[in-house]
Amino acid sequence: MSKPRRSMPKVRTGCVTCKIRRIKCDEQKPHCAKCLQTGRECKGYLPAKKGGQVQDTGPPVSIPITTYSIPFKVPGSQADRQLLHYYCSVAAGKLAGFSDHELWTRLILQRCYHQPIIRSVVVTLSSLYQDHMRGEYDGTKLGRSPPAKSIEQIAKCHRRLTMHLGSSEASPDIALICSVFFYMFESLLGNIHQAIWHLNQGLNLLQQYQRDSAYLASSESDVMLFHLTSLLSRLDVQASFFDYDRTPVLSLVSLAERSGNVPVVPDIFLSTVQAEGILTKLQNWMMRHLITCGKHKKTTFEDIPPQIIYDRQVLDQQFRKFGTVIEKLAGTYGDDDLEWENHSLLLRIHARACHSILLERISTFGPTPRGPDDYRREVDENLRAMLSDISLFLSTSQKSTQSEGSGHFTLSSHLTPALFYAGLKTTNCETLDISLELLKHSQIPSREGVWDASTAESMLQKIKACVIQERDDQYEAKHAVLLDDTLEKLGMKFFEGAGGLNEAFKALYLEDWQGH
């Protein structure tokens, strides 16, 4: 008697994107609604075999980067192909974080196939990234020169870009991509001035093309330019957080939005992608506002332009609204969507950090509807809530494929500046101590663009030690409740005339390096 035939196991037929994210797909065609609602690209469905069975070529989770086979013939050496493999399997995901997988894992690779210059910069970044992960570029060692091979690799990319720009095939997106990669090269090497210079070149070029009618006509259809514009807008803001004397190059907020007639923050966010774009606009507006305020520090309140006073009121309202709307978004999906939840949480962290900085400045800048003490208490409450969110994010991110491991380089999370400013702006000693501990957390990237986590942590420790030495009576208890002012003001000698955090960091570490 023959054995009964075993029934075939049920095969999941969800879209590739939902399989990768390990969540249930609604299986709508041609694109599933869950992907569209979250602003992600639906990569479609695997082809079906005869009999309705889905053709499965391996574990779905390994499709994008974790088990990557380069899908095109790549000119060059075996070493170059290995470095491209490393980019696909490690670096691309780390760079993207929650922000822009489409750019790093698909669009850049498409350009690698067609453009030798893009292949060159990707290979070079992958090499530098590997060296960084091995500890070759320690931001705290100022006397250490980068390896000669790294310098030669970068110089070769510069030469190739020069040749490309002189050819008939020169295109704006190639130059913009290269400016981002050159920014990353110099950031990894710790050359902050050069990194921001390359970023500024890219931003200036972007502005030129935005003023060009041909660019405006194609901007909606050219996906690469859209993604590059979003990325450069975020990097522009982040560079100004690092060097607080630097005005963002781009101006993202219209006159109607500044006047309050058109709200920057909508009543509802459709996706975290949309929310991130709105937050970037608020950050850009805030940094431009604070730098303008700085120019009026010695001006009497009566002489301050009314637009500045009005701007800060509208900004305050918009940040409060953003906090409310992002809370609604975070509750849209259940526990099965950890990526959505973590991205929403990250956006809430950055909104709270920026709002705290704004409130701290409002409390010291002219008359306000509330007293300075009220603003001061709200700042400390915001910072404590933000640190709680960061602790939650770091604990849950260990389960996320984008955040596994430590010591990596990224352009996306920007937790280091949030923690640094929390320590700098608080008057609560416990908040300061928590900021310092979190900067040493294993899940904090060692370098986030121009920010180095160990440098930020050590700078806060140095200022704290100097303040303690000068005020022994207040610090006799290990955990005094309150400082008599923010660490930033108590340690003002580190910042006065420094030229922003950029020069303050350098001066601090030059002093330490020479002392050893």
Side-chain angles (χ1 to χ4, degrees), residues 426-445:
T426 187
T427 57
N428 187 292
C429 293
E430 292 180 358
T431 300
L432 171 59
D433 289 342
I434 293 171
S435 300
L436 289 166
E437 284 303 311
L438 288 175
L439 279 167
K440 296 184 288 188
H441 195 284
S442 63
Q443 292 297 312
I444 291 289

Side-chain angles (χ1 to χ4, degrees), residues 138-363:
D138 188 340
T140 65
K141 297 178 181 177
L142 291 183
R144 188 172 186 173
S145 300
K149 64 158 190 168
S150 301
I151 301 299
E152 176 54 33
Q153 286 173 318
I154 294 172
K156 186 181 294 186
C157 291
H158 286 190
R159 291 194 295 270
R160 287 184 173 177
L161 178 61
T162 300
M163 292 175 60
H164 172 80
L165 294 177
S167 70
S168 58
E169 298 179 354
S171 61
D173 57 337
I174 298 300
L176 291 172
I177 292 170
C178 286
S179 72
V180 172
F181 273 83
F182 292 162
Y183 167 81
M184 291 190 289
F185 294 166
E186 301 299 344
S187 294
L188 280 165
L189 296 178
N191 298 328
I192 307 304
H193 277 301
Q194 293 92 321
I196 293 179
W197 184 86
H198 282 295
L199 175 62
N200 289 343
Q201 294 296 105
L203 291 165
N204 290 330
L205 182 61
L206 176 62
Q207 283 189 315
Q208 291 178 27
Y209 284 104
Q210 286 176 332
R211 289 192 291 264
D212 190 304
S213 58
Y215 172 87
L216 293 174
S218 66
S219 60
E220 292 184 359
S221 59
D222 192 324
V223 177
M224 175 61 83
L225 283 172
F226 170 79
H227 284 271
L228 287 173
T229 299
S230 299
L231 174 62
L232 286 166
S233 298
R234 293 194 298 272
L235 294 179
D236 188 23
V237 168
Q238 290 145 19
S240 291
F241 273 108
F242 187 83
D243 183 350
Y244 50 67
D245 289 334
R246 175 189 180 274
T247 303
V249 174
L250 303 178
S251 180
L252 304 181
V253 182
S254 69
L255 181 59
E257 290 169 326
R258 285 179 58 194
S259 67
N261 294 327
V262 176
V264 176
V265 181
D267 293 332
I268 188 171
F269 292 136
L270 301 178
S271 69
T272 54
V273 174
Q274 180 198 18
E276 186 171 49
I278 296 298
L279 181 57
T280 301
K281 289 181 70 171
L282 288 178
Q283 291 170 321
N284 175 279
W285 183 10
M286 188 193 79
M287 292 307 298
R288 296 177 71 87
H289 170 75
L290 293 183
I291 290 169
T292 303
C293 287
K295 297 175 182 177
H296 296 277
K297 278 184 178 180
K298 298 182 180 180
T299 306
T300 62
F301 179 74
E302 291 74 16
D303 295 330
I304 296 173
Q307 183 62 47
I308 294 178
I309 307 299
Y310 187 69
D311 271 2
R312 74 182 184 192
Q313 294 171 351
V314 179
L315 263 171
D316 182 23
Q317 293 167 0
Q318 291 299 300
F319 270 115
R320 293 179 191 278
K321 185 177 179 181
F322 185 94
T324 301
V325 180
I326 198 67
E327 288 284 355
K328 294 178 184 176
L329 180 68
T332 302
Y333 279 79
D335 296 336
D336 62 336
D337 199 333
L338 185 61
E339 183 179 349
W340 173 287
E341 183 181 349
N342 277 355
H343 196 187
S344 299
L345 183 58
L346 194 62
L347 296 176
R348 187 172 72 186
I349 288 167
H350 292 309
R352 278 182 166 155
C354 293
H355 193 207
S356 298
I357 293 171
L358 178 67
L359 290 173
E360 195 268 341
R361 183 63 65 90
I362 287 176
S363 69

